Amino acid sequence: MKNNKIAFVGGGNMARSLIGGLIADGYQARNIWVSDPHAAQRDALQQAFLIHTTGENQEAIAHADVVIFAVKPQILKIAAEDVAPALQKKKPLIISIAAGIREPTLNAWLGGHHAIVRAMPNTPAMVGSGATALYANPQVTKLQHNLAESIMRAVGLAVWVDDEAQMDIVTALSGSGPAYFFLVMEALEKAAVDLGLPAETAHLLTLQTAYGAAKIALESSESTAALRMRVTSPGGTTEQAIKVLQEGNTEELFCAALLAAHRRSTELAELLVAPGILDPSLRSPATLAHPCVAGDQ
Ligand SMILES: NC(=O)c1ccc[n+]([C@@H]2O[C@H](COP(=O)([O-])OP(=O)(O)OC[C@H]3O[C@@H](n4cnc5c(N)ncnc54)[C@H](OP(=O)(O)O)[C@@H]3O)[C@@H](O)[C@H]2O)c1
């Protein structure tokens, strides 16, 4: 699997993270190609990883078994149509990490009948701790399925979803998720400083606590609710704090936040859909049950 030839169309932040992860994971630099319009960007990638770089998308994809589109969503149509005739001849596996572009839309831009995997990574991929959701269309073979997963695992966790509409929930959860945790950490730090702790001490303790809690949760087979209850002794300090948070409807607030992000994700996807494409994955959020209001479930 690690001998497959991989071409990146777009050599920006995400491509760089993926290439670093792939090489650390045993993929051969000589099998990796990147095309990007910026000479400086290409030189930096070439020097860091000893991979092939080019300014021509056609050259990068020429011998590829996998083509990874790593350009901004608004550029994807131009980039896809540029290489569509060449890809129609060889039909490599296509992986797109562009947020919001649906598989039927990308397939139409590429001329149709392609094996496509949509991947939604998040920013911690840049430090090798990403969380990526993957969706495969029916043309993707078992081998290609494994290959796509192996590629995205190079930068962290990779999980599959069966229904493309779930990618909007993924966007709301893990795509936007790092910002939610930063907000919580920001609030905790500020509260500790307001109570009298030095800023640097509050900062370090907050970060390590967040990291430690995530590490325990990842290493445990128990649910997050069980873990929370385990560290909440009756009559203790944690219980008092949790009571305040629950009275403030924390759960409903996060549910409403994810719903808002989900709604925005589907709105943006609708803007990017190719004309004439009937996209079954686009479901108006207005038709979804509102899960955040008690009594609606
Ligand atoms: N960053 C994240 O955390 C994250 C998370 C999830 C998904 N994604 C998705 O990942 C994709 C890439 O994001 P990124 O942050 O890596 O973007 P980026 O740093 O802007 O990288 C994209 C690169 O592609 C180049 N490019 C532009 N037009 C091109 C073309 N026609 N052919 C080949 N290359 C071209 C860009 O050059 P110019 O600078 O000249 O445009 C740029 O160097 C996006 O679609 C984004 O939605 C990113």
Side-chain angles (χ1 to χ4, degrees), residues 55-107:
E56 298 298 324
N57 293 339
Q58 308 278 353
E59 190 185 353
I61 62 133
H63 306 290
D65 303 302
V66 188
V67 173
I68 304 179
F69 284 99
V71 293
K72 293 281 187 211
Q74 60 273 26
I75 304 291
L76 185 55
K77 183 172 191 288
I78 299 167
E81 288 177 347
D82 178 32
V83 292
L87 291 181
Q88 277 296 333
K89 285 183 203 137
K90 188 158 185 269
K91 291 276 174 67
L93 169 66
I94 307 291
I95 300 178
S96 166
I97 62 167
I101 310 269
R102 312 289 166 150
E103 177 274 319
T105 292
L106 177 57
N107 221 335

Side-chain angles (χ1 to χ4, degrees), residues 93-94 103-104 106-107 112-118 134-142 144-145 160-162 164:
L93 169 66
I94 307 291
E103 177 274 319
L106 177 57
N107 221 335
H113 312 293
H114 284 280
I116 296 183
V117 169
R118 252 190 83 189
L134 299 160
Y135 165 78
N137 75 357
Q139 284 92 336
V140 174
T141 65
K142 184 73 191 149
Q144 290 174 325
H145 198 273
W160 290 92
V161 297
D162 296 331
E164 191 173 9

Side-chain angles (χ1 to χ4, degrees), residues 25 37 91 100 153 164 176 181 203 231 236 240 243 245 253 283:
D25 214 23
K91 291 276 174 67
R153 275 211 184 139
E164 191 173 9
S176 303
F181 287 98
H203 180 67
V231 294
Q240 289 303 306
K243 193 163 168 269
L245 289 169
L253 202 57
R283 262 178 230 150

Side-chain angles (χ1 to χ4, degrees), residues 9-15 35-38 41 57 69-73 75 78-79 82 97-99 119-124 126:
V9 175
N13 295 317
M14 265 294 161
S35 57
D36 194 282
H38 288 291
Q41 190 106 303
N57 293 339
F69 284 99
V71 293
K72 293 281 187 211
I75 304 291
I78 299 167
D82 178 32
I97 62 167
M120 182 66 204
N122 63 5
T123 41
M126 301 199 188

Side-chain angles (χ1 to χ4, degrees), residues 241-262:
I242 295 289
K243 193 163 168 269
V244 171
L245 289 169
Q246 286 178 333
E247 282 168 4
N249 289 334
T250 310
E251 265 184 43
E252 278 181 27
L253 202 57
F254 273 106
C255 185
L258 258 67
L259 197 65
H262 177 276

